[in-house]
Amino acid sequence: MSRQLLQDAGNVDTILHANMTKWHASPDGGQVEAVTISTFDGRQRVVRALTFVLCGGGLEGTRLFLSSADDVPGGLGSGYGMAGRFFMQHPRGRIGRLEADARTPLALQDRHAIFGVRDGLQYETGFALTERAQREGGLLNASVILTYDADPDSGWAAFKSLPSTEPEGPERTYGRAGALMRKAKDPGSIASNLWRKGRQKRHAACPVSGINLLIDLEQTPDPDSRITLSSDRDRLGMRKARVDWRIGNDERRTAAQFGHFLPDHFTRTGGGKVELDEWVHDSGPVGDELTGTHHHIATLRMSQSPRDGVVDGHCRVHGVDNLCVSSCAIFATGGHANPTLTIVALASRLADHIRHRLNRPQLCATRTAPEVAVVS
């Protein structure tokens, strides 16, 4: 759909396979005059515009911004020294399991799961800390969802596996024959889920072998958690990114405190018994218990002063009149929720700001140089 919208737009030229490889700035570095774009087969073009918007995300956008030091003495912007710092994600990991009787998981799947609506949208329900709990405990934003390990012996799991199972020898328990046997033993879960998904447009619910408590965390901004450039170069001659992502004690403490709130809730509601994982109570560094979620945040963060960040309140790079950034790289903090809606809101706000600044009703118009060049 997005591709078709771009093709139909009369005021947008989209150039594919065009990798930005060089910045061209004014002598004082206060203005971006052009960028060089390159293809893998060696073709190059110079793109000039009145305004440039960097939309490469927290990793690639930051790598491109940091590369400006190869083309502009001291790098672009008065906040260049802050570029790449405060790198955050939304650490995710299991903090425990919920032990419940055979009937409870089916009821929980109707309350805490991913749900779809008829127009194709999805939403997920779970648990979040109250503002009071955060303030009193000095805790970060966080949320917990339930994930369900489907019972491999259920009829629904067998039904889902049939298209991918191949006939196997008699020594194997599972295979096409095994799946058919499991279907015959549990036809009810198949019939009910076909009705739920086909008629009611709801998610499937089936017997489970386990229920996991999965936490998503905000991070405390840490200037030593950062993106820098390595000496290795890619096939276009650009330096690669080096990632030093750090998880602090505030994240573990928030996960532990959140975990202590959950047993009381599930006991009161008859949802089962919570067993917390051991790592939540440890005091050492966090290991692979928490992993990233590909939400690369805050490396070109918004600030009032270039001493604290890279862009101002209008997403414009401090000290560069015509360079803006649009991505979650400009977030000052990360929260715990998916960043997409905030990215879209900030992009829309930036578009209005650029339109107002250029004093034109459209973002692009017929001129010697385009009004806006978007680098992503």
Side-chain angles (χ1 to χ4, degrees):
M1 183 178 68
S2 299
R3 186 185 185 98
Q4 190 61 49
L5 288 173
L6 290 173
Q7 289 176 340
D8 294 342
N11 60 345
V12 176
D13 292 322
T14 303
I15 307 174
L16 302 179
H17 312 294
N19 305 280
M20 204 213 84
T21 54
K22 186 177 179 63
W23 297 91
H24 302 269
S26 60
D28 64 356
Q31 198 75 11
V32 174
E33 297 176 343
V35 295
T36 295
I37 56 176
S38 306
T39 62
F40 289 134
D41 60 7
R43 289 177 292 170
Q44 291 189 336
R45 293 289 186 273
V46 174
V47 177
R48 302 184 184 278
L50 300 180
T51 300
F52 292 83
V53 182
L54 182 59
C55 303
L59 290 183
E60 182 63 4
T62 302
R63 183 177 80 103
L64 292 176
F65 187 84
L66 288 170
S67 74
S68 68
D70 293 338
D71 309 316
V72 181
L76 284 170
S78 53
Y80 180 84
M82 300 301 293
R85 293 188 179 275
F86 303 100
F87 175 56
M88 295 181 278
Q89 298 193 67
H90 290 134
R92 166 175 283 197
R94 198 185 80 172
I95 60 172
R97 290 175 66 84
L98 181 64
E99 304 295 335
D101 59 32
R103 291 185 178 182
T104 300
L106 293 175
L108 286 174
Q109 289 173 76
D110 274 335
R111 296 201 301 269
H112 304 296
I114 297 176
F115 300 92
V117 295
R118 293 183 182 274
D119 60 2
L121 295 176
Q122 289 187 330
Y123 64 95
E124 187 172 32
T125 60
F127 305 90
L129 295 171
T130 64
E131 182 179 351
R132 178 180 177 181
Q134 282 187 255
R135 290 189 181 280
E136 291 181 351
L139 304 177
L140 300 168
N141 280 292
S143 61
V144 167
I145 60 170
L146 305 185
T147 63
Y148 306 91
D149 299 328
D151 183 352
D153 291 325
S154 70
W156 180 246
F159 177 80
K160 290 174 61 180
S161 70
L162 269 178
S164 60
T165 53
E166 296 295 333
E168 302 189 22
E171 72 280 359
R172 297 296 299 272
T173 303
Y174 296 112
R176 192 175 297 276
L180 290 172
M181 291 178 62
R182 285 177 283 148
K183 284 179 62 180
K185 291 181 179 180
D186 182 23
S189 67
I190 301 173
S192 64
N193 280 321
L194 288 175
W195 175 263
R196 289 168 67 97
K197 292 173 71 69
R199 183 67 177 176
Q200 298 179 320
K201 305 301 181 185
R202 301 169 69 194
H203 68 289
C206 60
V208 302
S209 59
I211 304 174
N212 305 298
L213 303 172
L214 205 65
I215 195 166
D216 286 301
L217 290 156
E218 180 183 25
Q219 288 199 261
T220 297
D222 179 359
D224 292 326
S225 181
R226 63 187 300 193
I227 308 298
T228 56
L229 295 179
S230 75
S231 58
D232 296 334
R233 294 184 179 267
D234 62 19
R235 58 194 294 190
L236 292 167
M238 301 285 288
R239 286 196 285 170
K240 295 181 178 180
R242 181 191 294 114
V243 179
D244 181 8
W245 179 42
R246 304 191 181 190
I247 300 176
N249 187 60
D250 287 346
E251 287 88 311
R252 182 199 294 277
R253 189 169 58 83
T254 298
Q257 190 61 49
F258 205 140
H260 292 314
F261 291 144
L262 293 173
D264 179 62
H265 168 79
F266 284 109
T267 298
R268 284 188 291 103
T269 59
K273 179 182 178 182
V274 172
E275 295 287 344
L276 294 179
D277 290 348
E278 290 186 6
W279 76 268
V280 176
H281 307 291
D282 292 342
S283 58
V286 177
D288 57 5
E289 297 90 354
L290 292 175
T291 60
T293 49
H294 309 293
H295 301 158
H296 306 135
I297 296 169
T299 46
L300 301 173
R301 69 200 311 244
M302 185 181 290
S303 66
Q304 291 184 332
S305 166
R307 294 189 302 271
D308 304 313
V310 177
V311 304
D312 64 18
H314 294 298
C315 308
R316 184 178 65 90
V317 172
H318 289 298
V320 184
D321 184 59
N322 66 334
L323 176 60
C324 301
V325 180
S326 181
S327 72
C328 56
I330 68 174
F331 290 10
T333 57
H336 68 89
N338 290 351
T340 303
L341 288 177
T342 307
I343 294 171
V344 172
L346 287 170
S348 177
R349 178 174 172 269
L350 174 59
D352 289 339
H353 175 68
I354 292 175
R355 181 186 294 113
H356 175 74
R357 185 182 177 200
L358 296 174
N359 197 27
R360 295 294 298 270
Q362 295 177 322
L363 289 179
C364 297
T366 303
R367 284 190 178 185
T368 303
E371 291 192 351
V372 181
V374 176
V375 180
S376 63

